[in-house]
Amino acid sequence: MAKVSFQNTIANYKLLYDAQESLFPYTIFRMENNTPFSVLGNITTTTIGIIEEDGATIEYMGTHFGPLCKGFYFSIPGVFEFYGKAILLERTGYNGNLSMGHVHAKNPVSLDSLFSETSLILPRIAGTPTLNYITLTKGQIVELPQSSYIYVSSGEIQLRSPQHHTLLSPQDIHFIHGTELATIEVQSELGKCFLIQAF
């Protein structure tokens, strides 16, 4: 039976990256409207999400989660319903664990903190998705792993690589290619970002 996915049935999304033909197939989308929708998958599909606005809700296997505020993250295997705005990574061929939380509950940060990186979703085995949360203060420079996505949650962050020299603002997302050597430097007093890896 063919896999049915939310990108085939829902119109309020924006495709950001399509790697379904790769060794570790996945897609990344942004849900742009506060419109109810269903994500239809199977047991080999897991979705990792980052909530972009307050008021999101999730229905999963008869359980209601929410309202969820900006900064919540989740990992959900299989089928679920969602209302709200979010960045979503849908990984095919991976049956992950149910996980949900808020970054501030795991990562209380002040300007006295020089650098922190918190693992939110850990890889079950090699080649499976991960989600980390990074906090930096002004002027700090950090090298990013290849084949990853940086999603800015707050602050102004300068991305530098041989291919790019880009200022990223909140809700910007950027892909670091497998051959790209990239660093980020915080331009504001404090910068916070998610680091997403599909494999």
Side-chain angles (χ1 to χ4, degrees):
M1 183 176 176
K3 171 182 174 291
V4 181
S5 185
F6 74 86
Q7 61 263 36
N8 301 123
T9 58
I10 305 304
N12 64 332
Y13 72 90
K14 179 180 180 183
L15 176 65
L16 300 178
Y17 196 81
D18 185 349
Q20 284 292 0
E21 301 303 318
S22 67
L23 180 61
F24 303 103
Y26 70 94
T27 48
I28 291 187
F29 294 84
R30 169 173 270 131
M31 301 309 300
E32 298 185 314
N33 300 319
N34 281 324
T35 304
F37 68 90
S38 295
V39 176
L40 304 175
N42 57 41
I43 61 170
T44 63
T45 302
T46 297
T47 303
I48 292 176
I50 301 168
I51 305 296
E52 293 198 293
E53 286 191 3
D54 294 349
T57 60
I58 293 171
E59 297 280 345
Y60 180 65
M61 297 184 70
T63 302
H64 177 86
F65 301 94
L68 307 175
C69 62
K70 179 180 177 181
F72 262 88
Y73 63 89
F74 59 85
S75 173
I76 299 178
V79 180
F80 68 100
E81 293 184 358
F82 178 84
Y83 172 89
K85 295 185 179 182
I87 290 288
L88 299 173
L89 179 150
E90 184 183 73
R91 174 63 192 278
T92 304
Y94 171 61
N95 185 22
N97 292 327
L98 175 64
S99 176
M100 192 175 301
H102 194 283
V103 293
H104 298 309
K106 289 195 170 188
N107 192 21
V109 175
S110 69
L111 287 176
D112 297 329
S113 302
L114 293 178
F115 171 79
S116 71
E117 181 172 5
T118 305
S119 296
L120 304 175
I121 297 173
L122 298 171
R124 295 180 64 186
I125 58 174
T128 58
T130 63
L131 181 66
N132 290 353
Y133 190 68
I134 300 173
T135 302
L136 310 99
T137 53
K138 187 172 183 177
Q140 285 189 302
I141 299 175
V142 173
E143 185 174 329
L144 297 176
Q146 296 173 336
S147 300
S148 63
Y149 292 83
I150 178 173
Y151 171 80
V152 179
S153 59
S154 67
E156 302 289 329
I157 295 178
Q158 186 75 49
L159 174 73
R160 293 188 178 92
S161 74
Q163 294 82 12
H164 299 93
H165 193 100
T166 308
L167 184 64
L168 302 175
S169 300
Q171 297 191 352
D172 285 345
I173 186 168
H174 184 86
F175 178 56
I176 311 301
H177 292 275
T179 58
E180 192 173 3
L181 299 176
T183 61
I184 54 172
E185 179 179 357
V186 176
Q187 303 294 304
S188 52
E189 288 301 314
L190 194 65
K192 300 179 181 181
C193 56
F194 289 89
L195 192 62
I196 309 164
Q197 292 183 278
F199 55 88

